[in-house]
Amino acid sequence: AEFASALAGLCNLDKAANIELTYSDVNAETQYVDSIYAVGVANLMVGSDNMFRPEEEITFNQAAKAVVTALGYDGIANSKGGYPEGFYSTALQLDLTTGAGRDSALTRYDVVTLMAKACEIDIMQVIGVETDDVIFSVSEGKNILGVYHNIRKIEAQLKDDGLTNIKGKSQNPGNNVIIGDIRLEN
């Protein structure tokens, strides 16, 4: 349940509307119930045997499957044999390792490490379908932070051009710093 909450937050999943999922071990009193249903509706974590098992620890294999799917690489993982081998192999390829063993329960440190690494990976998206083939493309520069949270990483070197004063008022309207076509509030 805690991992479901972290993943729902990472992917900016709102409370699942019109829930059609039911788990025999999840009810309105279950901690993180909204996150459990949100990741279920998004097919990131779906449980099995009509159960989610919110109190159980999550293994690296299980977490890797959820994160690889959230990043859009589940097609590659399934082509490599699916769960668990294909997802584990894809997680290694994406450098989503945490130091935990494949079947080891993740610590909170492992979860934070996994989520932080996921933030840096470019998302894979479907770009088309041709004669029963789905065409995927890695969206270079588009990661979870940018797509789901509108957070971008910008690296630049600021130089005094006479219009911007780093230590005082800017000559630019609104006291902003402009880098390329991006206006940042000072």
Side-chain angles (χ1 to χ4, degrees), residues 125-158:
Q125 297 175 315
V126 175
I127 59 168
V129 178
E130 289 182 7
T131 320
D132 299 330
D133 286 332
V134 179
I135 302 167
F136 294 93
S137 175
V138 174
S139 299
E140 198 167 321
K142 290 186 179 181
N143 58 32
I144 282 181
L145 291 177
V147 172
Y148 298 125
H149 300 279
N150 199 26
I151 297 172
R152 293 185 284 173
K153 181 178 180 180
I154 301 171
E155 294 183 32
Q157 182 177 15
L158 294 177

Side-chain angles (χ1 to χ4, degrees), residues 14 27 41 83 95:
D14 292 331
N27 60 47
V41 168
Y83 182 80
D95 192 30

Side-chain angles (χ1 to χ4, degrees), residues 27 39 49 58 74 78 91 103 106 122 168 171 178:
N27 60 47
V39 297
D49 302 325
I58 189 165
D74 50 319
N78 284 322
D103 294 313
L106 295 184
D122 292 335
Q171 300 294 321
I178 299 173

Side-chain angles (χ1 to χ4, degrees), residues 21 51 83-84 112 124 128 168-169 172:
L21 297 174
M51 297 177 75
Y83 182 80
V112 170
M124 181 171 282
K169 282 280 195 191
N172 290 316

Side-chain angles (χ1 to χ4, degrees), residues 15-180:
K15 181 177 171 180
N18 301 322
I19 296 170
E20 295 180 16
L21 297 174
T22 56
Y23 298 114
S24 61
D25 57 350
V26 175
N27 60 47
E29 305 302 315
T30 304
Q31 190 173 18
Y32 308 115
V33 64
D34 291 337
S35 296
I36 290 169
Y37 282 119
V39 297
V41 168
N43 281 325
L44 300 180
M45 296 175 72
V46 294
S48 63
D49 302 325
N50 198 33
M51 297 177 75
F52 189 84
R53 297 171 181 82
E55 300 300 321
E56 287 187 13
E57 295 178 323
I58 189 165
T59 67
F60 178 77
N61 273 342
Q62 293 166 330
K65 182 180 188 294
V67 173
V68 165
T69 301
L71 292 168
Y73 290 84
D74 50 319
I76 289 177
N78 284 322
S79 73
K80 292 180 175 184
Y83 182 80
E85 293 299 325
F87 283 90
Y88 179 74
S89 170
T90 304
L92 290 180
Q93 182 182 357
L94 294 171
D95 192 30
L96 288 171
T97 55
T98 65
R102 294 176 59 170
D103 294 313
S104 299
L106 295 184
T107 64
R108 286 186 175 98
Y109 174 83
D110 294 326
V111 171
V112 170
T113 300
L114 182 62
M115 297 295 171
K117 286 184 173 192
C119 289
E120 296 287 325
I121 296 171
D122 292 335
I123 292 176
M124 181 171 282
Q125 297 175 315
V126 175
I127 59 168
V129 178
E130 289 182 7
T131 320
D132 299 330
D133 286 332
V134 179
I135 302 167
F136 294 93
S137 175
V138 174
S139 299
E140 198 167 321
K142 290 186 179 181
N143 58 32
I144 282 181
L145 291 177
V147 172
Y148 298 125
H149 300 279
N150 199 26
I151 297 172
R152 293 185 284 173
K153 181 178 180 180
I154 301 171
E155 294 183 32
Q157 182 177 15
L158 294 177
K159 293 182 180 179
D160 184 0
D161 61 3
L163 298 176
T164 303
N165 182 338
I166 303 289
K167 293 184 179 181
K169 282 280 195 191
S170 172
Q171 300 294 321
N172 290 316
N175 201 28
N176 298 319
V177 173
I178 299 173
I179 301 172

